[in-house]
Amino acid sequence: MTPDNASQSLADFIQSSPTPFHAARSLAERLQAAGYQELDERDEWTLADGGRYFVLRNQSSLIAFSLGQSNALRNGIRMIGAHTDSPCLRVKPQPELTRHGLWQLGVEVYGGALLAPWFDRDLSLAGRVTCRDSGGQLHNLLLDFQRPIAVIPNLAIHLNRDVNGGFAVNAQTDLPPVLAHGIEPNRDLRALLANELTQQYPEREPLQVLDYELSFYDAQPPGVIGLDGDFLAAARLDNLLSCHAGLEALLGSDGKQACLLVCTDHEEVGSSSACGADGPFLEDVLARLLPDESERIRTIQRSVLVSADNAHAIHPNYADRHDGNHGPQLNAGPVIKINSNQRYATTSETAALFRHLCQQVDVPVQSFVVRSDMGCGSTIGPITSSRLGVRTVDIGAPTFAMHSIRELAGVRDVAYLQKVLTAFMGCEQV
């Protein structure tokens, strides 16, 4: 796939995935179109040799696997892991605010969001809404307004003269978005959601909204920018870029080896949930895939997990924030992430395997180690590795402005990552 095609495919995926619920649905739709069969965790599973399946949990996490040729599990499973969630602003349960003639919604910051870029952006709203029909049945429906409906206006510099010297954002008082004039009395979010659901699901009868998980998101679509079209600017590159690359690798594999893609929710808040990487989702699926415990342990010990999550590219204006020998560049290939204190799960063995794969498919590769005087972030890699005991390498595409409302990646890196992950899915020995 060319860099342009790879970036456009990623942009389309991001545009259709404003929340983890939508991201999981987008992944599922692509898998179904490719012949993958959906499984329900509440049912008994009958898995066929060479079968291709996927399973959803909480509508926001997904595991897909291809069993490969007969006895392929003897060679281990090629696993790719990523996460579906991104830092954002989540709507509170009773959010309605009418102040000074304007209607606003109270929000809670989800994850380690870079807050300043959220001001003066065209915002839309999406997520999951749980409703009840006239017969008393509950339904989980995905909702996306798909148009700008809100904004968080900055305070004019005339009223905040020192703002350019530093501005501490108060998440409680500074972030409630403005949605409308407050002229209409008793405006109610649940009534607004019910009306929008009626428009988006016209085949359904009127529904009563009981609860929701809604996030504001940047309404500006992804775009290829730069004089020579070198960069992809988009929301949620962390970590939809990796989810998309893993999906393309799984769909592009030759079907000979046993392959698995796991994209879990809640990474940005620690992964400790029923559908997060620190929960039992992957272990539950592997236990059903390999019911015999001894066989499962042997298979896992023959397996490798590539934990894919974006890496920090060296910023030309802040080069001193990187170790002098470890400054990954945009469009210079995927990054192997290493940390001696196990914030990343990479070992010399798994790093060497990934370098070998990159060399085989002519993909450049880089390394990242955080400065010794700075703290290091983490990923699902150490969590999954410690829960399963699987060999793991933490890698990712280099990006700028991680956790901003709009991040930046190199278009060539999108194609590089897909290429090496596809090679990994077809690797005979890991």
Side-chain angles (χ1 to χ4, degrees), residues 88-89 97 99 104-110 113-116 118-119 123 151-153 167 169-178 216:
C88 62
L89 302 182
L97 302 168
R99 302 184 297 188
Q104 300 173 269
L105 294 179
V107 293
E108 183 178 11
V109 178
Y110 176 86
L114 193 62
L115 294 176
W118 279 82
F119 288 81
L123 303 178
V151 65
I152 307 171
F167 174 49
V169 177
N170 185 303
Q172 174 69 19
T173 60
D174 296 335
L175 292 180
V178 175
F216 283 101

Side-chain angles (χ1 to χ4, degrees), residues 128-182:
R128 180 172 68 178
V129 182
T130 302
C131 313
R132 180 171 57 203
D133 63 25
S134 60
Q137 295 295 313
L138 299 184
H139 305 273
N140 290 318
L141 300 177
L142 301 194
L143 180 68
D144 183 2
F145 278 77
Q146 294 185 324
R147 63 187 187 277
I149 64 168
V151 65
I152 307 171
N154 252 307
L155 183 63
I157 194 170
H158 312 78
L159 304 177
N160 190 7
R161 293 288 185 180
D162 299 325
V163 64
N164 289 328
F167 174 49
V169 177
N170 185 303
Q172 174 69 19
T173 60
D174 296 335
L175 292 180
V178 175
L179 284 82
H181 281 289

Side-chain angles (χ1 to χ4, degrees), residues 375-389:
C376 183
S378 192
T379 71
I380 66 166
I383 295 171
T384 308
S385 179
S386 62
R387 290 192 67 107
L388 289 184

Side-chain angles (χ1 to χ4, degrees), residues 24-38 52-54 62 64 247-248 250-252:
R25 184 176 69 179
S26 297
L27 292 167
E29 289 174 348
R30 284 286 308 277
L31 289 162
Q32 284 180 317
Y36 279 71
Q37 176 185 342
E38 183 173 3
R52 298 180 296 171
Y53 307 94
F54 72 91
L62 176 143
L247 174 69
E248 292 291 345
L250 180 63
L251 297 181

Side-chain angles (χ1 to χ4, degrees), residues 19-70:
T19 73
F21 304 108
H22 291 83
R25 184 176 69 179
S26 297
L27 292 167
E29 289 174 348
R30 284 286 308 277
L31 289 162
Q32 284 180 317
Y36 279 71
Q37 176 185 342
E38 183 173 3
L39 301 172
D40 191 321
E41 289 192 274
R42 297 167 293 186
D43 298 335
E44 290 190 19
W45 292 358
T46 302
L47 306 178
D49 288 341
R52 298 180 296 171
Y53 307 94
F54 72 91
V55 57
L56 291 161
R57 182 177 284 191
N58 189 49
Q59 293 183 276
S60 63
S61 295
L62 176 143
I63 295 175
F65 55 93
S66 171
L67 296 178
Q69 295 179 338
S70 180

Side-chain angles (χ1 to χ4, degrees), residues 334 353-365 420:
L353 169 64
F354 192 78
R355 291 184 190 279
H356 174 64
L357 285 171
C358 288
Q359 290 173 359
Q360 284 189 317
V361 294
D362 197 27
V363 166
V365 63
V420 70

